[in-house]
Amino acid sequence: MVENNPPEMSEKGDSKKAAKKEAKKAEKEARKSAGKVESSVVVEEDVSVGKYGNYGLIQSNSQSPIRTFTDIRLLNSSLAESNVWIRARLHTVRARGKQCFIVLRQREFTVQALVNVSDTISKAMVKFCSNISKESIVDLEGTVVDVGKKGVAGCTQGDVELLVSQIWIVSVAVSQLPLQIEDASRPEKSDDPESLKIRVNQDTRLDNRILDLRTPANQAIFRLEAGVCRLFRETLTRKGFVEIHTPKIISAASEGGANVFEVTYFKGSAYLAQSPQLYKQMAIAADFDKVFTIGAVFRAEDSNTHRHLTEFTGLDLEMAFHYHYHEVMLTIGDMFNAIFKGLRDEYAVEIAAVGNQFSVEPFTFLDPALVLKYDEGRALLAEAGVEVGSEDDLSTPAEKLLGRLVKAKYDTDFYILDKYPLAVRPFYTMPDPENPILSNSYDMFMRGEEVMSGAQRVHDPQLLTERAKHHGIDVSKIAAYIDSFKYGCPPHAGGGIGLERVVMLYLGLDNIRKTAMFPRDPKRITP
Amino acid sequence: MVENNPPEMSEKGDSKKAAKKEAKKAEKEARKSAGKVESSVVVEEDVSVGKYGNYGLIQSNSQSPIRTFTDIRLLNSSLAESNVWIRARLHTVRARGKQCFIVLRQREFTVQALVNVSDTISKAMVKFCSNISKESIVDLEGTVVDVGKKGVAGCTQGDVELLVSQIWIVSVAVSQLPLQIEDASRPEKSDDPESLKIRVNQDTRLDNRILDLRTPANQAIFRLEAGVCRLFRETLTRKGFVEIHTPKIISAASEGGANVFEVTYFKGSAYLAQSPQLYKQMAIAADFDKVFTIGAVFRAEDSNTHRHLTEFTGLDLEMAFHYHYHEVMLTIGDMFNAIFKGLRDEYAVEIAAVGNQFSVEPFTFLDPALVLKYDEGRALLAEAGVEVGSEDDLSTPAEKLLGRLVKAKYDTDFYILDKYPLAVRPFYTMPDPENPILSNSYDMFMRGEEVMSGAQRVHDPQLLTERAKHHGIDVSKIAAYIDSFKYGCPPHAGGGIGLERVVMLYLGLDNIRKTAMFPRDPKRITP
């Protein structure tokens, strides 16, 4: 590899004109300096001196160049004949005689670049290019060429290629990669003719997450995940919700002490919050009326399944209502629909990118969202031969079956199941005033898996104490929680949503580790 | 207190007409039921039966009423003669003969309501009202009366009062409150004539945070805090940043092991992340280009100061750049200005509400933000008689003095200090390419206190290893971090902002516990 000094270029000028002049001067100098280094390795005169090399470490030199870069996704035949600078990954490189074919990649977008020996491009430059390691970052200058109908196979920008005039290494990748982006990007659909080719297993991916995250599908998944958070917040902010931040370090295990991580806190100890619920409720008791919070939630549950994480991102909300918790439940239903619509309308490119690698069935939903009573759900299951007792919870297989039954009957991948049995909900769940075995609680499902659990909370200290005792909870340990309601508190309801589950199920993916950027489970806390 | 059954009212009807009809019927029934209970305590006939009482627990009865409530902030003389329903806190109540004066409160908004013995309002009803405990939540029906120029002293809605026709208790507060909202809301300005009256000390406030948060200033502070987050995200999202979520549970202490909380993790142990920095950088190495994250940050520092918390909310960002880290530094400066403008333009009401209790000087800033070199800062301090060595850090008093000097000279409460000595920055800070004692790093200040620290990071594994060794760090322990840059990584810079500090300093408050909803410090992990 040829190591040149970085071209010394102009400091930020006051006018574009001055900058251009400076840049020309700088390129001249760069050419000189490149020549110096070249001279020792290149025997014949190199006509490309100063047009290729390695910048060396970009350390923010005061003589930094000013260049406008073009995004690969914007390259198409309308730009034919223009000269562009691109900074991108070298996705693949292939030398063939006097030519070198490079594929450049930015996120999911790729374009071919051609380095051709010519009057101005030396053999040495072509050789230099063919030796650049995959995944290195390069600055490349080239002319956009319309390739006509033949197209460039395998590149997203298929109607053009770049005829290279300069190429500089910005950051070099080691030549032995622990996984290949091409392998990690390969379709994983069972009916795909590619399905027998090399795939990358999940642990290798997660161990080398930095590389794995560069695949088009992963680039899309995490952009879509950001979209879910944005749509959640925007929708709720429009409805008058206030964002709050709740502590993760808490003094007492919130729900009885099971599944909680312990923290050494100076000379004492503390716990990691399993949910922001108690704090959301305190915010309601403190007159914030409608609140949401997005933050880490911790569960010390030794579950090694496709849908459990020990740390995940909770989208939580809580809302005072006037007379009936359905005011809240329907607000949440509308909020989910706003997310689904936003994803459908604003993230079609990302959904398609994920679909290129994984089988993704479009997500269906009804507007307004379908609400079924728990007993209606039980009846549907009974019709299908699965009996669930009136005070029993749904098992995971029953939930999945019910999801399929609901989908078949109503054609929706999202629905709300309302009025769960009191016996299967936490002590702070408000009992149904009209049916002693039911409660004012609901779960929400995507593709047959629970993504949110919520309820009206007991906001009366006396009833709360009774309910806690009924559950065998030591009331003295939750005195602070119970006391929160002593100073007047409006009736309220809310719920907590698992972000990674929502994204996994929206896209129909098979494992929650695909939608957590750096997942945590009982066996993994790295990277 | 009179305990009535809640009035049974109409289920949600299909039309408003039906609902109205149902509501009338329901009120009739409620009157009857109220009468039953009343009969035992009231001797003379109560003409107000069915117009007052306690709903009992609002448990989401299927016969819930449908009412439109009016916000107190919207009440003014233009609504004179209209009939309104209000749900609000009973802020104060005062009986005087055949009258009872109530002040209702919602957040910072208050209005007076008058219960007057009349043909339709009984003495019993007035007595009932005068016995409702402060901070209880009530539903009140009344007619808006224009009080003309005399006004109602002490209420935000001073040009009207409500002539009460119905009042119902929604949620009752205990009569002995650990603090009075009036005391907790009292101005704390040193030149205030009220300054000798009772104030509430900070521990009492924090111990009873639910009550304390109800003050107008606190209602405003946390709405403004939500605004800072929103403006941060909106500005960065517009600039193409992607939101990410980084793990809080990490396998190794990120910066050498000091000041880190340890967590029991199943059979092993782990740590709480002191910053999302390493993960932000990995996202950059993974082609996300520009990322931000908002989340909990943990510091096991035994500092009991006005500006340290053990858990705070970090607003973090990281951005790849082309040639010079100033591309990032100036992006962050612009982002701060967008926040300052947004607060000034959209949160004037909140800023004023805080100003009613605390001395708040308006926050000044320049557009674009002022950037000073570290050495220029040192020179300003030297002129003022304070010498700082060229490789020394600024002490907290020196920072504050510099803030005052900058304010005097440039009239700005915000500025950026660029090019810190390499010696005082972490090992991953990029050295200045032209001056060996400096680094490509910057801090940002509000009212003379640091709110953000940032830098260009070393993105070259070899230099990073050298720098770590130079700092005496065991390289084997940070191998995963160093390896992150082996597969090609663009030059990048970023920084981390403490949310609570930004809000504290923007408002000119004296303690960070005022801007953390449930603050955590070495001595406090409750509530």
Side-chain angles (χ1 to χ4, degrees):
Chain A
M1 188 162 303
V2 184
E3 284 274 337
N4 290 338
N5 292 323
E8 285 186 86
M9 301 195 192
S10 81
E11 210 164 15
K12 290 197 174 174
D14 284 322
S15 74
K16 280 193 179 171
K17 214 171 164 185
K20 257 193 180 168
K21 205 172 149 191
E22 288 287 314
K24 273 202 178 162
K25 191 181 117 198
E27 286 194 17
K28 226 186 242 171
E29 281 171 11
R31 225 164 284 149
K32 263 191 267 167
S33 87
K36 274 177 218 156
V37 180
E38 295 295 296
S39 57
S40 61
V41 282
V42 181
V43 178
E44 56 186 307
E45 198 199 350
D46 187 344
V47 293
S48 303
V49 165
K51 297 212 171 147
Y52 68 99
N54 189 324
Y55 281 147
L57 186 64
I58 292 184
Q59 211 172 339
S60 305
N61 203 292
S62 58
Q63 306 283 306
S64 298
I66 298 171
R67 281 182 188 142
T68 304
F69 287 88
T70 304
D71 286 348
I72 290 178
R73 70 186 167 85
L74 301 176
L75 294 177
N76 61 48
S77 54
S78 75
L79 291 175
E81 310 305 317
S82 10
N83 197 58
V84 293
W85 274 98
I86 310 277
R87 175 168 294 181
R89 296 262 171 211
L90 191 124
H91 185 56
T92 60
V93 61
R94 185 166 45 94
R96 208 165 59 183
K98 292 181 170 180
Q99 292 186 316
C100 177
F101 293 91
I102 290 170
V103 174
L104 294 177
R105 189 188 80 237
Q106 276 172 348
R107 297 165 45 185
E108 65 263 47
F109 304 103
T110 47
V111 68
Q112 179 166 278
L114 181 60
V115 198
N116 235 340
V117 173
S118 68
D119 291 354
T120 53
I121 304 290
S122 65
K123 277 184 200 170
M125 179 166 166
V126 174
K127 195 177 168 202
F128 169 83
C129 291
S130 66
N131 284 329
I132 303 175
S133 53
K134 279 192 204 181
E135 293 302 304
S136 293
I137 299 173
V138 295
D139 277 2
L140 182 148
E141 186 194 36
T143 307
V144 180
V145 178
D146 186 341
V147 296
K149 281 191 181 159
K150 63 174 182 164
V152 179
C155 282
T156 60
Q157 312 312 105
D159 60 347
V160 290
E161 67 179 12
L162 297 170
L163 199 57
V164 177
S165 47
Q166 287 199 50
I167 186 162
W168 295 91
I169 294 175
V170 171
S171 174
V172 68
V174 294
S175 50
Q176 292 291 326
L177 299 175
L179 60 83
Q180 303 299 319
I181 304 297
E182 286 165 290
D183 296 338
S185 308
R186 197 156 279 143
E188 301 199 0
K189 304 169 186 183
S190 51
D191 58 345
D192 202 285
E194 299 267 294
S195 66
L196 289 176
K197 285 201 185 166
I198 294 167
R199 289 182 188 173
V200 182
N201 78 40
Q202 186 161 269
D203 274 328
T204 306
R205 288 177 184 274
L206 295 179
D207 288 342
N208 302 284
R209 191 61 160 162
I210 288 174
L211 283 167
D212 182 42
L213 287 172
R214 293 180 190 168
T215 64
N218 277 337
Q219 289 289 314
I221 285 169
F222 292 99
R223 283 179 163 78
L224 186 136
E225 191 156 288
V228 171
C229 289
R230 182 176 60 75
L231 292 161
F232 174 82
R233 287 186 301 250
E234 283 178 3
T235 307
L236 294 178
T237 300
R238 262 198 310 275
K239 289 175 189 280
F241 281 71
V242 178
E243 181 177 16
I244 62 169
H245 301 281
T246 65
K248 310 306 168 213
I249 295 177
I250 55 172
S251 61
S254 37
E255 296 181 30
N259 300 333
V260 66
F261 289 114
E262 198 173 332
V263 184
T264 309
Y265 197 79
F266 301 100
K267 284 167 188 160
S269 66
Y271 303 93
L272 291 182
Q274 292 165 289
S275 133
Q277 195 204 313
L278 311 192
Y279 291 95
K280 288 185 302 178
Q281 289 193 256
M282 287 199 245
I284 296 297
D287 287 352
F288 284 91
D289 197 39
K290 301 170 184 177
V291 297
F292 71 84
T293 185
I294 296 186
V297 171
F298 305 93
R299 303 275 163 94
E301 217 175 317
D302 201 358
S303 299
N304 294 279
T305 76
H306 79 285
R307 62 174 192 166
H308 284 91
L309 293 171
T310 52
E311 177 184 342
F312 63 90
T313 303
L315 308 181
D316 271 89
L317 72 167
E318 202 72 25
M319 174 181 156
F321 62 80
H322 289 134
Y323 300 109
H324 202 292
Y325 75 97
H326 280 179
E327 298 166 33
V328 180
M329 189 184 79
L330 299 177
T331 298
I332 300 174
D334 285 351
M335 186 273 298
F336 266 107
N337 272 1
I339 292 176
F340 300 148
K341 285 177 205 167
L343 293 179
R344 180 193 63 197
D345 299 342
E346 301 169 43
Y347 291 83
V349 171
E350 282 76 11
I351 295 166
V354 178
N356 286 338
Q357 180 162 6
F358 304 103
S359 303
V360 176
E361 286 290 312
F363 190 85
T364 60
F365 60 98
L366 302 177
D367 194 11
L370 175 68
V371 180
L372 291 179
K373 292 258 189 295
Y374 190 80
D375 285 344
E376 293 175 277
R378 283 176 56 230
L380 279 174
L381 285 168
E383 276 173 41
V386 174
E387 292 292 339
V388 176
S390 61
E391 296 199 58
D392 292 345
D393 209 350
L394 295 180
S395 65
T396 304
E399 279 182 0
K400 287 197 175 169
L401 172 60
L402 184 54
R404 288 195 295 276
L405 298 170
V406 168
K407 170 95 178 195
K409 185 165 178 184
Y410 300 97
D411 192 26
T412 179
D413 286 314
F414 176 78
Y415 74 100
I416 302 172
L417 200 57
D418 186 26
K419 301 224 83 72
Y420 270 68
L422 183 59
V424 303
R425 306 298 277 200
F427 74 95
Y428 47 72
T429 308
M430 183 65 86
D432 183 305
E434 287 148 4
N435 183 337
I437 73 160
L438 297 183
S439 66
N440 294 347
S441 67
Y442 41 84
D443 276 7
M444 305 201 182
F445 293 87
M446 289 171 66
R447 300 196 202 256
E449 293 192 43
E450 182 243 307
V451 288
M452 180 177 125
S453 199
Q456 177 179 356
R457 326 295 187 179
V458 176
H459 62 284
D460 176 73
Q462 197 181 326
L463 180 58
L464 194 55
T465 306
E466 279 169 30
R467 295 298 308 156
K469 283 182 182 163
H470 180 82
H471 278 251
I473 292 169
D474 179 350
V475 176
S476 70
K477 287 198 175 155
I478 56 164
Y481 176 54
I482 293 176
D483 285 352
S484 306
F485 307 106
K486 275 182 8 187
Y487 309 121
C489 182
H492 60 283
I497 300 164
L499 172 62
E500 295 84 355
R501 265 195 205 180
V502 167
V503 176
M504 169 178 80
L505 293 165
Y506 182 82
L507 291 171
L509 298 174
D510 61 355
N511 196 307
I512 200 157
R513 289 160 189 79
K514 288 197 168 80
T515 58
M517 193 171 260
F518 300 101
R520 294 295 180 253
D521 65 33
K523 291 174 181 153
R524 174 178 294 279
I525 49 173
T526 57
Chain B
M1 189 162 302
V2 185
E3 287 272 337
N4 289 339
N5 292 322
E8 286 186 84
M9 301 197 192
S10 82
E11 208 164 16
K12 290 199 175 172
D14 285 323
S15 74
K16 281 193 180 173
K17 213 171 163 186
K20 259 193 178 167
K21 204 173 152 191
E22 287 286 314
K24 275 202 175 162
K25 190 180 119 200
E27 285 193 20
K28 223 185 243 174
E29 280 171 12
R31 224 164 284 150
K32 262 190 266 168
S33 88
K36 274 176 217 156
V37 180
E38 294 297 294
S39 57
S40 60
V41 282
V42 183
V43 178
E44 57 187 305
E45 198 197 352
D46 187 344
V47 291
S48 302
V49 165
K51 297 212 169 144
Y52 68 99
N54 189 325
Y55 281 148
L57 186 64
I58 293 186
Q59 211 172 339
S60 306
N61 202 293
S62 58
Q63 306 282 306
S64 298
I66 299 171
R67 280 182 189 142
T68 304
F69 287 88
T70 303
D71 286 348
I72 289 177
R73 70 186 168 86
L74 301 176
L75 294 177
N76 61 47
S77 55
S78 76
L79 291 176
E81 310 306 317
S82 13
N83 197 57
V84 293
W85 276 96
I86 310 277
R87 175 168 294 181
R89 297 259 172 214
L90 190 126
H91 184 56
T92 61
V93 62
R94 183 165 46 92
R96 207 163 62 186
K98 291 181 169 181
Q99 291 186 316
C100 177
F101 294 90
I102 291 170
V103 175
L104 293 177
R105 188 187 80 239
Q106 277 172 346
R107 297 166 43 187
E108 65 264 46
F109 304 103
T110 47
V111 68
Q112 179 166 279
L114 181 61
V115 198
N116 235 340
V117 173
S118 69
D119 289 355
T120 53
I121 304 291
S122 64
K123 278 186 201 169
M125 179 166 166
V126 174
K127 192 176 171 203
F128 169 84
C129 290
S130 66
N131 284 329
I132 302 175
S133 52
K134 279 192 203 181
E135 294 301 305
S136 293
I137 298 173
V138 295
D139 277 2
L140 181 149
E141 187 194 36
T143 307
V144 180
V145 178
D146 186 341
V147 295
K149 281 189 182 160
K150 64 174 183 166
V152 180
C155 282
T156 60
Q157 312 311 106
D159 61 345
V160 289
E161 66 178 13
L162 297 170
L163 198 59
V164 177
S165 47
Q166 289 198 49
I167 186 163
W168 295 92
I169 295 176
V170 172
S171 174
V172 69
V174 294
S175 49
Q176 292 293 324
L177 299 175
L179 61 81
Q180 303 299 318
I181 303 298
E182 285 166 291
D183 296 337
S185 310
R186 198 158 279 144
E188 300 199 1
K189 305 168 186 183
S190 51
D191 58 344
D192 201 286
E194 299 267 292
S195 65
L196 290 176
K197 287 201 184 167
I198 294 167
R199 289 182 187 174
V200 182
N201 78 40
Q202 187 162 269
D203 273 329
T204 306
R205 288 178 185 273
L206 295 179
D207 289 342
N208 302 284
R209 193 61 161 159
I210 288 173
L211 283 166
D212 181 44
L213 287 172
R214 293 180 191 168
T215 65
N218 277 335
Q219 289 288 315
I221 285 169
F222 293 99
R223 283 180 163 78
L224 186 136
E225 190 155 288
V228 171
C229 290
R230 182 176 61 75
L231 291 161
F232 173 83
R233 287 185 301 250
E234 283 179 2
T235 307
L236 294 178
T237 301
R238 263 198 309 275
K239 290 176 189 279
F241 281 70
V242 179
E243 180 177 16
I244 62 169
H245 301 281
T246 66
K248 309 307 167 215
I249 295 177
I250 56 173
S251 60
S254 37
E255 295 182 29
N259 301 333
V260 66
F261 289 114
E262 197 174 332
V263 185
T264 309
Y265 197 79
F266 300 101
K267 283 166 188 161
S269 67
Y271 302 93
L272 291 181
Q274 291 165 290
S275 135
Q277 196 205 312
L278 311 192
Y279 291 95
K280 288 186 303 178
Q281 290 194 256
M282 288 199 242
I284 296 297
D287 288 351
F288 284 91
D289 197 40
K290 302 171 183 176
V291 297
F292 71 84
T293 185
I294 295 186
V297 170
F298 306 92
R299 303 275 163 93
E301 217 175 316
D302 201 356
S303 301
N304 294 281
T305 77
H306 78 284
R307 64 175 192 164
H308 285 91
L309 294 171
T310 51
E311 178 183 342
F312 63 90
T313 304
L315 309 181
D316 272 88
L317 72 166
E318 201 72 25
M319 173 181 157
F321 62 80
H322 288 134
Y323 299 109
H324 202 292
Y325 75 97
H326 281 179
E327 298 167 33
V328 179
M329 190 184 79
L330 299 176
T331 298
I332 300 173
D334 286 351
M335 186 274 296
F336 267 107
N337 272 1
I339 292 175
F340 300 148
K341 285 177 205 168
L343 293 179
R344 180 193 64 196
D345 299 343
E346 300 169 44
Y347 291 83
V349 171
E350 282 76 11
I351 294 166
V354 178
N356 286 339
Q357 181 162 5
F358 305 102
S359 302
V360 176
E361 286 291 311
F363 190 85
T364 61
F365 59 98
L366 302 178
D367 193 12
L370 176 67
V371 180
L372 291 179
K373 293 257 189 291
Y374 191 79
D375 285 344
E376 294 176 273
R378 282 176 55 232
L380 279 173
L381 285 168
E383 277 174 39
V386 174
E387 292 292 339
V388 177
S390 62
E391 295 198 59
D392 292 345
D393 209 349
L394 296 180
S395 66
T396 303
E399 280 181 359
K400 286 198 177 168
L401 174 58
L402 184 54
R404 286 195 298 275
L405 297 170
V406 168
K407 170 92 180 199
K409 186 166 179 184
Y410 301 97
D411 192 25
T412 178
D413 286 316
F414 177 78
Y415 73 100
I416 301 172
L417 200 57
D418 187 25
K419 303 223 80 75
Y420 270 68
L422 183 60
V424 304
R425 307 297 277 199
F427 73 95
Y428 47 73
T429 308
M430 183 64 86
D432 184 304
E434 287 147 5
N435 183 337
I437 74 161
L438 297 183
S439 67
N440 293 347
S441 67
Y442 41 84
D443 275 7
M444 306 200 182
F445 293 87
M446 289 173 64
R447 301 195 202 258
E449 294 193 44
E450 183 245 307
V451 288
M452 179 176 127
S453 199
Q456 178 180 356
R457 327 294 187 179
V458 177
H459 62 285
D460 175 74
Q462 198 181 324
L463 179 58
L464 193 56
T465 306
E466 280 168 30
R467 296 297 309 157
K469 282 182 181 163
H470 179 83
H471 277 252
I473 292 168
D474 180 351
V475 176
S476 69
K477 285 197 177 156
I478 55 164
Y481 177 54
I482 293 177
D483 285 352
S484 306
F485 306 107
K486 274 180 13 186
Y487 310 121
C489 181
H492 61 283
I497 301 164
L499 172 64
E500 295 84 355
R501 269 197 203 178
V502 168
V503 176
M504 170 179 78
L505 293 165
Y506 182 82
L507 291 171
L509 298 173
D510 61 355
N511 196 306
I512 200 158
R513 290 160 189 79
K514 288 197 167 81
T515 56
M517 192 171 261
F518 301 101
R520 294 294 182 252
D521 65 33
K523 291 174 181 155
R524 176 178 291 281
I525 49 173
T526 56

